[in-house]
């Protein structure tokens, strides 16, 4: 069943890697086993992330809606606080769903990129796991990856670690060191990407309440999960996730800098920067200093005109 569902994605992954490798060798990189296959995984990551850009902007829109609705959501939660009867719980759920529809968002909006990348992740995982079987002829080719190509991919390495090496199964100390470094990089980039979003691009209202507590918890839980499960990933899959996380970090940095969420710290900094630029260009004149107030309680005497003396 899984083979049937994932095979089309495995075929797409295989063709993107093969086409990228052909491009790199045309540009002068070594054919056969080598860095060209490592960079083909990097190219695969970039192609997937470019394809997900429209979804990224939908995610931003949905996330902004979640941030905007926080005060109203907290009001609903406060309204039904302490009420556990079925009628109150049903009314609370109905009002919450109506609020989601009003703002055009949903709680899973921020998880969409990871959810949609998961099938690609599993497809790449399976393709790399099949390299040994395809290379010895015990498994059929996947798209353009035939027996010879599979042998070249399996023999390609990153700093001495083969792309199909897994921490739990490899006997190479070099491979294990490379895998550990990649796992740490994967978890660290994931943590800093989420922290960047949480700390800089959320209004104060979104940093309070049960949902904010859940987000803060996920900020630490997800990197730990990937840190532990990374020992089961081939080197090629770890390369994919590190590059994908770096892409997310750069994409979010650009978005936060250019299109910050309303009411966030990033928006305040952007407005201050725009005001300074406008002032420097002379578009905004500096406000004149107010004139000092005259002392009260003393009436100014009218000046007496000099009269001409009569002769």
């Amino acid at each position: 069943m899984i083979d049937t569902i994932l095979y089309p994605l495995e075929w797409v992954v295989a063709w993107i890697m093969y086409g990228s490798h052909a491009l790199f060798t045309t540009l002068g990189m070594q054919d056969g086993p080598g860095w060209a296959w490592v960079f083909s995984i990097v190219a695969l990551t970039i192609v997937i992330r470019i394809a997900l850009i429209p979804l990224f902007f939908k995610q931003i829109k949905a996330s902004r809606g979640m941030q905007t609705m926080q005060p109203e959501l907290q009001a609903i939660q406060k309204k039904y606080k302490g009420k556990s009867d079925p009628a109150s719980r049903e009314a609370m759920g109905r009002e919450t769903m109506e609020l989601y529809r009003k703002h055009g968002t949903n709680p899973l909006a921020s998880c969409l990129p990871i959810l949609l990348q998961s099938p690609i992740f599993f497809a790449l995982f399976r393709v790399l796991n099949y390299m040994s079987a395809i290379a010895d002829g015990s498994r059929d080719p996947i798209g353009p990856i035939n027996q010879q190509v599979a042998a070249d991919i399996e023999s390609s390495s990153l700093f001495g670690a083969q792309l199909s090496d897994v921490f739990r199964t490899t006997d190479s100390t070099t491979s294990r060191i490379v895998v550990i470094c990649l796992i740490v990089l994967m978890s660290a980039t994931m943590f800093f990407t989420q922290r960047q979003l949480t700390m800089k691009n959320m209004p104060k209202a979104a940093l309070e309440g049960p949902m904010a507590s859940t987000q803060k918890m996920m900020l630490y839980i997800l990197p730990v999960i990937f840190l532990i499960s990374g020992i089961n990933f081939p080197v090629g899959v770890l390369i994919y996730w590190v590059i994908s996380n770096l892409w997310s970090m750069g994409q979010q940095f650009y978005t936060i800098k250019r299109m910050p969420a309303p009411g966030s710290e990033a928006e305040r900094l952007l407005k201050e920067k725009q005001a300074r630029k406008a002032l420097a260009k002379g578009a905004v004149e500096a406000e004149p200093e107010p004139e000092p107030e005259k002392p009260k309680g003393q009436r100014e005497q009218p000046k007496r005109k000099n009269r001409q003396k009569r002769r």
Side-chain angles (χ1 to χ4, degrees):
M1 181 67 178
I2 295 178
D3 288 338
T4 305
I5 295 174
L6 287 180
Y7 182 77
L9 285 177
E10 293 171 7
W11 188 86
V12 170
V13 166
W15 268 107
I16 293 176
M17 288 180 61
Y18 184 82
S20 301
H21 178 267
L23 175 62
F24 292 134
T25 54
T26 302
L27 294 175
M29 295 189 73
Q30 178 185 350
D31 196 4
W35 277 88
W37 283 113
V38 177
F39 283 114
S40 71
I41 297 177
V42 176
L44 168 70
T45 311
I46 293 173
V47 169
I48 298 301
R49 294 311 304 260
I50 289 175
L52 291 176
I53 284 178
L55 176 66
F56 175 73
F57 285 108
K58 288 184 179 180
Q59 178 199 6
I60 291 176
K61 183 179 178 182
S63 298
R64 296 283 168 84
M66 288 291 293
Q67 294 165 2
T68 304
M69 65 178 274
Q70 284 305 306
E72 297 175 74
L73 183 61
Q74 291 173 9
I76 293 175
Q77 292 169 347
K78 185 177 180 181
K79 177 181 175 182
Y80 293 98
K81 185 178 180 180
K83 298 180 181 179
S84 56
D85 57 285
S88 297
R89 305 305 297 177
E90 182 183 351
M92 180 180 174
R94 186 172 59 252
E95 291 183 26
T96 302
M97 293 306 298
E98 182 61 32
L99 193 60
Y100 286 140
R101 283 193 291 269
K102 174 185 172 183
H103 290 274
T105 186
N106 63 80
L108 297 177
S110 59
C111 302
L112 283 176
I114 292 180
L115 291 176
L116 287 184
Q117 281 190 87
S118 296
I120 304 296
F121 159 75
F122 285 114
L124 178 60
F125 182 91
R126 289 166 68 84
V127 167
L128 292 174
N129 271 350
Y130 292 156
M131 286 302 108
S132 179
I134 296 174
D136 63 23
S138 61
R139 188 176 181 89
D140 294 334
I142 302 175
I145 299 181
N146 54 28
Q147 190 170 358
Q148 180 59 51
V149 174
D152 290 344
I153 295 175
E154 190 180 21
S155 300
S156 298
S157 62
L158 173 71
F159 303 122
Q162 293 185 343
L163 295 181
S164 57
D165 280 349
V166 179
F167 183 88
R168 292 183 61 184
T169 58
T170 183
D171 295 326
S172 170
T173 302
T174 301
S175 295
R176 290 193 168 189
I177 292 173
V178 172
V179 169
I180 290 173
C181 291
L182 288 172
I183 291 173
V184 171
L185 275 174
M186 176 181 65
S187 300
T189 50
M190 179 176 292
F191 173 79
F192 285 113
T193 300
Q194 294 299 319
R195 189 175 186 275
Q196 176 181 246
L197 178 65
T198 305
M199 296 294 109
K200 290 187 176 181
N201 203 39
M202 284 192 178
K204 291 182 179 179
L207 297 175
E208 301 173 354
M211 189 170 294
S213 300
T214 303
Q215 288 178 335
K216 289 178 182 178
M217 191 183 300
M218 295 303 292
L219 173 66
Y220 296 96
I221 289 178
L222 277 179
V224 171
I225 290 174
F226 276 84
L227 189 67
I228 296 172
S229 60
I231 60 174
N232 299 305
F233 300 162
V235 170
V237 172
L238 293 172
I239 294 172
Y240 173 88
W241 272 116
V242 170
I243 300 301
S244 181
N245 290 344
L246 289 172
W247 178 284
S248 296
M249 189 181 296
Q251 200 172 42
Q252 282 190 1
F253 178 81
Y254 177 84
T255 304
I256 292 171
K257 189 175 181 181
R258 300 287 181 178
M259 298 177 291
S264 65
E265 177 68 11
E267 185 189 44
R268 184 185 67 80
L269 295 174
L270 178 62
K271 287 182 177 179
E272 289 180 357
K273 183 178 179 181
Q274 290 172 341
R276 287 195 299 268
K277 284 185 176 180
L279 185 61
K281 291 180 181 179
V284 177
E285 296 182 358
E287 295 182 2
E289 295 183 2
E291 296 182 0
E293 294 183 2
K294 295 178 181 179
K296 297 180 180 180
Q298 185 175 354
R299 184 168 171 265
E300 185 177 353
Q301 298 294 329
K303 294 182 179 180
R304 185 176 182 183
K305 296 182 179 179
N306 294 330
R307 297 180 180 176
Q308 294 182 355
K309 294 181 180 179
R310 295 181 182 177
R311 293 182 182 177

